[in-house]
C-alpha cells in the first residue's frame, strides 16, 4: 500500500471569493487518484495545510515523525515547492522506505496545472524506486542533496 | 534521452465538428510534456495515427522495429488501450531496453481525462524500471504477459 | 421562468470508452447552469437525445409541440448545430414566445468547448429579446430565415 | 461594434508561483471571445488592472470617462464583483448607450470558473438591451440601483 501524506502547498491552493484570495484548501491528491481510476491501494492523511514557506521546525519534525512511523515501505508526500528540498533533506535519515516528495507550481484547481502530471509521475516513482528520499518535479527524479528550486525558471535543477 | 513513439488511440482522439465525429488526431504527448515543463531530454516520433482496434500485423511489426532500432535505453509508447497488451506482448523479445506502454481511457482533449496523469506515471516508470516491457495504466505498472483490459470496469487487471 | 428543452447534438456528446466512440449523452445544460450559480428560475426537459442530422419530421413536430404547449413566454432549446436552422424555421409559426436555439461546435465535455459561453449567451438572449424565434451561436443573435451553418468556417453566417 | 473595457477583478486573477500569490493579470475576455469563435465586431481596451476593492474615485472617473467618450452604442465592462454595483451606479448618468457590467466569482484561469458563461451572457445582454446601465451576473440582468453583492451566497441579489 502507498502511504500518502499531504502538507499543503501551491498544489492545494483554492480561490475563496468571499476572502478575495487564495488559500491552501483540502488536498487535491485524493481526488486526482480517484478521477484517474487509480486502484493501487493507498491511504491519504493530511498532516497540515500550509504554504511551505510557513512550515516551522515543528512542522518538519511532524512530517519526519509521520514518515518514520508509517508501516508502509513506499510513501508519497505532497508539499509546497518552495521548501520541498528542505523537507526532503530533513527526511534523509529514515531507512528502509522509498519516500517521494512532489507538488505543483500551479494549483490543481487551475485549467493549466502540473498537478495531475506530477502526482502520476511521483506515484510511479514511489512504486519503483529503491529505498531513499527523492524529489519528483518537472518529470525528473531528483536527489534532494543536490537539487534546488529555480524560482525564475519555474523548475527544479541540479545544484 | 527518452524516446517516445506515438501510435494513436483514444488518448489522441479529437472532435471534428465538420465530420460530426471523433478521429485520432495529432499526438497529445508532446504538448503534455511541454505544458508540464518537463525538461528531461526526449524526442517524440509519430509512427501511425490509429485506433488500436485497427492496428494490423504490419503496424505492430513497424512498432517493434522502431523500438528495436532506437538507440535509447528507455522508451515510452503511447497506444490505444484496446490492444495495448497485444502490442506489449509483441515487444517481448527486445532486450536491453525499458519499454513502457501507456494511453488513456478518455481523450486528452476532454476536461476529465486520465491522459496527463498516465503520461506522468509512464514517464517516471520509463525512467526508473529495469529493462523489460511494461504496461502502465491506472496508476499501476503491469506485466503484459499477465494483464488484460477489463472494458466494463474501464481498467487494466491482472489476468 | 425559463423553459429549457434539450434535444441532443454535439453539445451533449460524451465519450464512451467501452464503445470506442462518442454518443449523445445526458444534457449538459442543467450542469452548466448549476455550476455557474444561475438562480433565474428554470426547468430543463429532455425531449430527445439525438445528433441533429438524425432528427426526423416527427422529432421536429415533437419539438414544435413542446414549445407551443409550454406556458413559459421565454424558451431555450439546445440542439445540434447541423440542422438547428431547419428546426428554428419549423418553429416560425409559434406566437407570443421568445424562443432561442443554441448548441455547441465542441462537446461540453471538452477542455476547449463553446458550450458554456453559448449557453450563457443564449440564456441572456431568451431573457431580453422580444417574441420570435432566434438562433444564438458564435456570439450573435441570428434570424433563422436568413442564416445557415458554414461547416468549414465552423460558424453560422447570414445567408 | 461592441466596445469592451476591462478594469481587472477576480475574472482576470492569475497565479504567479514566483510570487506565491494571485494577482490581476492580462484580461481574459479577449481570449474568451476568440476561443468561442465570436465574430461580432468588437474592441477590447484595458483601462486598469485592479481588484475592485482597490478602485479609487479617480479610477471610477476614468471608467465613466471612457464609457462616455466611446462612439459605440453598446459597451461591455469587465470588473471585479466586490464594487461592480458601485461603478454601475457611477455610470448612471450616461445616455444613449447600453452599458453592461460583468465579471466572475472564480478566475477565468480556474477549471471551474463562471467567466465564460458570464461573458457570453453579458455579451448578449449588451447586444439586445435598450440603453441604460446593467449588471449581468449569475444569469440575471440586474438594475444597479436595486442590487447588491451577497458575499456569503456568492451571488448578486435584488436589494
Amino acid at each position: 500500500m502507498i502511504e500518502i501524506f499531504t502538507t499543503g502547498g501551491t498544489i492545494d491552493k483554492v480561490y475563496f471569493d468571499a476572502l478575495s484570495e487564495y488559500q491552501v484548501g483540502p488536498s487535491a491528491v485524493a481526488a486526482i487518484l480517484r478521477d484517474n481510476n487509480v486502484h493501487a491501494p493507498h491511504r491519504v492523511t493530511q498532516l497540515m495545510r500550509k504554504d511551505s514557506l510557513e512550515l516551522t521546525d515543528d512542522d518538519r519534525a511532524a512530517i519526519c515523525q509521520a514518515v518514520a512511523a508509517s508501516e508502509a515501505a513506499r510513501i508519497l508526500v505532497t508539499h509546497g515547492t518552495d521548501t520541498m528540498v528542505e523537507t526532503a533533506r530533513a527526511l534523509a535519515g529514515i531507512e528502509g522506505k522509498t519516500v517521494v516528495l512532489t507538488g505543483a507550481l500551479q494549483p490543481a484547481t487551475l485549467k493549466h496545472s502540473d498537478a495531475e502530471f506530477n502526482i502520476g509521475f511521483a506515484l510511479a516513482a514511489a512504486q519503483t524506486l529503491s529505498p531513499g528520499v527523492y524529489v519528483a518535479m518537472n518529470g525528473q527524479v531528483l536527489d534532494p542533496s543536490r537539487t534546488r528550486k529555480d524560482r525564475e525558471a519555474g523548475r527544479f535543477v541540479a545544484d
Side-chain angles (χ1 to χ4, degrees), chain A:
Chain A
M1 190 199 69
I2 305 273
E3 177 96 75
I4 303 174
F5 294 119
T6 75
T7 66
T10 293
I11 187 172
D12 294 339
K13 283 193 177 165
V14 175
Y15 188 73
F16 290 87
D17 173 71
L19 305 168
S20 289
E21 69 169 21
Y22 248 64
Q23 286 191 356
V24 181
S27 176
V29 68
I32 288 174
L33 296 179
R34 182 192 63 227
D35 290 348
N36 287 289
N37 209 12
V38 170
H39 275 77
H42 61 277
R43 169 171 63 204
V44 180
T45 304
Q46 177 183 275
L47 297 180
M48 70 246 349
R49 204 184 266 196
K50 285 187 163 184
D51 184 304
S52 70
L53 288 170
E54 292 169 18
L55 291 173
T56 64
D57 289 342
D58 283 352
D59 290 325
R60 274 200 180 82
I63 295 169
C64 291
Q65 207 163 344
V67 169
S70 169
E71 288 174 0
R74 301 182 176 283
I75 299 175
L76 180 59
V77 179
T78 64
H79 193 286
T81 58
D82 288 324
T83 65
M84 184 184 294
V85 171
E86 196 177 328
T87 299
R89 292 178 181 179
L91 287 164
I94 293 165
E95 300 202 351
K97 293 178 158 68
T98 300
V99 186
V100 178
L101 285 80
T102 196
L105 294 164
Q106 293 283 308
T109 47
L110 262 62
K111 279 190 174 106
H112 303 294
S113 171
D114 50 331
E116 294 210 30
F117 179 92
N118 292 352
I119 294 289
F121 185 91
L123 183 69
Q127 290 180 4
T128 59
L129 291 168
S130 50
V133 183
Y134 309 87
V135 162
M137 286 294 298
N138 302 110
Q140 284 181 286
V141 174
L142 300 155
D143 173 350
S145 68
R146 295 178 304 176
T147 296
R148 64 180 178 84
K149 179 184 176 185
D150 179 337
R151 283 198 114 193
E152 285 73 38
R155 49 182 287 234
F156 283 71
V157 295
D159 232 345

